[in-house]
Amino acid sequence: MHMYMVVAAVLIVASMVAFGVAALTTGWVMPFARRRVLRPKLHGYGQLIGAVGLSLWMFLGLIPRRFDVVPLIGWFLWMGALGLQMLAQRPGRAPRGGVTKSVS
């Protein structure tokens, strides 16, 4: 049973990396999140950081008395990645006053 859980966790982290790279390079976001995500690059960075944090937390957190701080850092990375993905759903900053620069 333990091996099934490890394989499932590896597949989840690998899919997070693949979808993060796809969002960074092409701007493609999964269909159920397309309507909400306004900044796909930031969403991709969030997914990549989340994959690193989740793997540190899951795989190094299971080793007893070994890497005490590293799983905690992984958990903070994962939570920070969730924050980045939430920011990716908000619109970016617009210039104030509607004044645009003209190219001459």
Side-chain angles (χ1 to χ4, degrees):
M1 186 66 175
H2 178 65
M3 184 57 86
Y4 293 130
M5 293 171 69
V6 170
V7 169
V10 167
L11 289 176
I12 288 170
V13 169
S15 66
M16 285 175 68
V17 169
F19 291 135
V21 168
L24 278 176
T25 57
T26 64
W28 184 83
V29 180
M30 293 181 62
F32 63 85
R34 274 188 202 142
R35 191 176 308 157
R36 292 186 308 250
V37 173
L38 301 174
R39 295 186 278 176
K41 279 196 168 198
L42 187 61
H43 187 74
Y45 282 123
Q47 281 192 326
L48 288 178
I49 292 171
V52 169
L54 188 62
S55 61
L56 286 176
W57 182 52
M58 281 194 306
F59 298 122
L60 294 182
L62 297 176
I63 301 172
R65 289 173 286 202
R66 199 51 210 257
F67 302 100
D68 291 333
V69 178
V70 177
L72 186 63
I73 291 171
W75 186 81
F76 283 124
L77 279 175
W78 189 37
M79 291 296 130
L82 290 176
L84 278 178
Q85 289 177 351
M86 283 181 10
L87 286 176
Q89 296 178 8
R90 299 185 59 151
R93 292 186 178 179
R96 286 188 172 192
V99 178
T100 59
K101 295 180 182 178
S102 62
V103 179
S104 46

